[in-house]
Amino acid sequence: MQGNCEATIYTKSGSLSILPGGRERCPWGVRRAAANRRRTVVPAGPLVVLLWAGCAGPPADCVRVVSWADYREIALEEEIADSFAVRHPEIPVCFESLSGAGIYREKVLTSIAAGTPPGVFLLDGIDIPAFANRGVLLDLAPFATRAGVDTAAFHPRLRELFRRDGRWIAFPKGFTPMVLYYNRNVFDAADRAHPPAAWSWTEFLETARALTADTDGDGVEDRWGFGWAREFFYLQSWLWAGGGDLLTGDGLRATGALDAPETIRALDFYLDLARHERVVPRIEMFRRESSVPILRLFSSNRLGMFVSGHWSAQQLDAHERAGRIRYGVTSIPTQDGSPARPVLYASGWAVPRNAPHRRWSVQVAAFLSGETAQRIRARAGLEIAGLPAVAEAIAAADTTGREYAFLENAERGRHTWGARVEKWREVEDVLLDLLDRPLVRGEDTGAVAHELALRIDALLRPPR
């Protein structure tokens, strides 16, 4: 049965309002009559916005599942939750979503330290050291078989990420490499061959120049070759593509890596796309959070290429189904044309050591990482499934070849430094200047990189 539940929004500021319509369908279904209350999220900007779909708040004995799901993922989680309820009607589940990567990590850590942890939470690969080094995660290995999890079935790249010193710190959810999206309509209009699976910076730059054009004859470019993002998140793969890096191999220093000639060359190549080449929309390169306008330009056939992860495919698929665009996926170009080594981003379902209802929590985490859940998410195009059997089935059914491009890049990819360095988010804050100062202030790239490398060395240095 479904309950008629009042939908109430609670915001970060503590304000409260009733959604228009008054009564809403309980989005998570009924796990059992005594636990007919569910939690979901609605999109409302950068702050934490939570939607209770229950008549009297969350049940005290439910398994709280915390993630950073946005509005696009809510319907998927509903479907997954309904499937879980059929198999485990005895386990009540409450879902909670927190927006903002840094906010999310700190809120989960704080709740664990305060003795009010979630039952299950989504662990970002970039936050693994912050949680694992504190010893706050339950080792899931002893419970895997009992919970029906075959850990050997997960993708090898995810096993190496979430299996630490013989311990399973999370059951994998999914992952993605960073890839280059290209607009087939723009390429065809410019009479340009679609990019190959492996290509060089020279080929990429020639292509970006050819795609950039003044299509309406007013003397101003209105179509561009590349969507240049002024965020470090998108830069990391370009540094690796040029043979550079951010830290030395042991992950302890930035000097000797961030300020190395190969890294400076890669930085200058990426910066010059915005500084000297007329291949990017100039107004967008000065924006933070530039992914939204980039997607808008791409979906209106005014942009030829941009870099992103699998999550962009879901939005682009909708535009393609509507007949607005045709798009492809290929590797990020490299300095010498060799196969790319893109950054890999992954997440998994973890259980705090002090989680209430621990047996239930493990069961929920196991289901969320299982075949049913991964098929639902992979079908929606948000990520590559963490189970190769599911990922291969999705790729085999994809007539565009894009899924195989993702899988090939994933095989060659490399996990972000955040999977190894506990203070990585603090390092990223320092690295914001790596683009800003050369671009906006015109400072020398090498000098900026060396100064930032020294600051990062100090940040990473163990306390005496």
Side-chain angles (χ1 to χ4, degrees):
M1 60 178 288
Q2 297 293 340
N4 288 323
C5 300
E6 191 170 27
T8 307
I9 293 180
Y10 292 85
T11 68
K12 188 178 180 182
S13 63
S15 60
L16 178 153
S17 63
I18 304 299
L19 282 180
R23 296 283 173 178
E24 300 282 294
R25 173 182 179 271
C26 293
W28 301 107
V30 178
R31 301 297 178 264
R32 57 181 182 174
N36 187 14
R37 309 170 185 93
R38 296 295 170 258
R39 192 177 194 178
T40 184
V41 68
V42 292
L47 297 181
V48 180
V49 181
L50 303 175
L51 171 66
W52 289 105
C55 302
D61 61 348
C62 75
V63 176
R64 288 176 54 231
V65 179
V66 174
S67 74
W68 55 80
D70 66 12
Y71 70 98
R72 292 171 297 176
E73 298 178 72
I74 292 303
L76 304 179
E77 300 303 338
E78 284 187 15
E79 188 176 348
I80 292 166
D82 288 342
S83 296
F84 179 80
V86 170
R87 293 165 175 79
H88 299 281
E90 77 284 3
I91 303 178
V93 179
C94 307
F95 284 78
E96 177 180 333
S97 182
L98 304 175
S99 65
I103 293 174
Y104 176 86
R105 178 185 66 174
E106 295 310 316
K107 280 190 172 292
V108 173
L109 281 171
T110 299
S111 69
I112 293 174
T116 56
V120 180
F121 71 95
L122 190 56
L123 176 62
D124 194 346
I126 201 173
D127 288 329
I128 285 176
F131 285 90
N133 294 349
R134 287 168 171 77
V136 299
L137 301 178
L138 180 68
D139 177 13
L140 300 176
F143 309 100
T145 301
R146 197 183 321 161
V149 177
D150 178 9
T151 55
F154 291 119
H155 195 285
R157 307 313 307 274
L158 295 177
R159 294 203 301 268
E160 71 187 21
L161 183 65
F162 291 112
R163 191 171 186 270
R164 301 288 176 106
D165 301 321
R167 301 168 57 248
W168 274 93
I169 60 175
F171 290 144
K173 172 178 176 279
F175 67 126
T176 181
M178 297 296 279
V179 298
L180 187 133
Y181 288 82
Y182 64 93
N183 188 314
R184 293 174 180 268
N185 289 346
V186 174
F187 271 73
D188 292 349
D191 196 24
R192 194 76 184 183
H194 297 173
W199 54 328
S200 70
W201 284 355
T202 299
E203 294 170 311
F204 166 80
L205 183 55
E206 290 174 350
T207 299
R209 288 170 176 163
L211 299 180
T212 303
D214 168 19
T215 63
D216 58 10
D218 66 354
V220 179
E221 287 90 353
D222 51 25
R223 189 183 72 199
W224 297 272
F226 182 63
W228 194 93
R230 186 180 154 223
E231 296 170 83
F232 174 76
F233 177 76
Y234 296 95
L235 173 64
Q236 193 170 170
S237 292
W238 288 94
L239 301 188
W240 289 350
D245 213 330
L246 301 160
L247 303 177
T248 53
D250 56 13
L252 300 178
R253 291 183 299 109
T255 51
L258 185 60
D259 53 2
E262 296 83 1
T263 305
I264 303 305
R265 178 183 60 192
L267 276 168
D268 277 330
F269 177 80
Y270 188 73
L271 283 163
D272 283 347
L273 296 173
R275 287 185 302 195
H276 305 306
E277 299 288 344
R278 300 180 64 177
V279 298
V280 302
R282 292 189 59 81
I283 190 172
E284 303 304 344
M285 74 186 189
F286 292 106
R287 293 175 182 251
R288 288 272 186 226
E289 302 296 336
S290 54
S291 60
V292 172
I294 284 174
L295 277 171
R296 188 178 301 123
L297 290 170
F298 189 87
S299 60
S300 61
N301 296 306
R302 296 172 60 200
L303 191 70
M305 300 175 286
F306 74 100
V307 167
S308 188
H310 205 301
W311 55 83
S312 291
Q314 185 186 45
Q315 299 175 65
L316 296 181
D317 286 347
H319 288 294
E320 190 171 61
R321 287 192 298 270
R324 301 186 190 100
I325 62 169
R326 296 176 301 123
Y327 77 96
V329 170
T330 191
S331 302
I332 295 171
T334 61
Q335 194 274 331
D336 59 0
S338 60
R341 291 195 67 194
V343 181
L344 292 178
Y345 291 102
S347 61
W349 298 103
V351 176
R353 288 182 62 183
N354 60 341
H357 311 299
R358 197 161 70 174
R359 181 176 62 83
W360 280 1
S361 294
V362 172
Q363 196 68 55
V364 171
F367 187 85
L368 292 174
S369 66
E371 183 174 347
T372 298
Q374 294 208 13
R375 282 189 183 279
I376 291 171
R377 294 195 194 94
R379 194 171 64 237
L382 284 172
E383 61 191 355
I384 298 175
L387 294 168
V390 176
E392 285 288 341
I394 296 293
D398 173 31
T399 59
T400 68
R402 294 189 292 248
E403 287 302 314
Y404 276 122
F406 274 107
L407 292 179
E408 290 166 4
N409 275 276
E411 292 296 330
R412 296 193 299 266
R414 169 183 165 190
H415 292 296
T416 174
W417 274 112
R420 293 176 52 187
V421 178
E422 181 172 351
K423 293 184 177 180
W424 184 246
R425 291 197 184 275
E426 292 84 346
V427 170
E428 282 192 320
D429 288 342
V430 174
L431 290 170
L432 290 173
D433 281 347
L434 196 59
L435 293 175
D436 280 5
R437 287 169 56 182
L439 176 67
V440 179
R441 302 181 192 175
E443 296 183 37
D444 178 73
T445 307
V448 172
H450 181 63
E451 178 189 329
L452 298 183
L454 292 173
R455 287 171 56 187
I456 292 170
D457 283 358
L459 186 64
L460 297 179
R461 193 173 298 126
R464 294 182 178 180

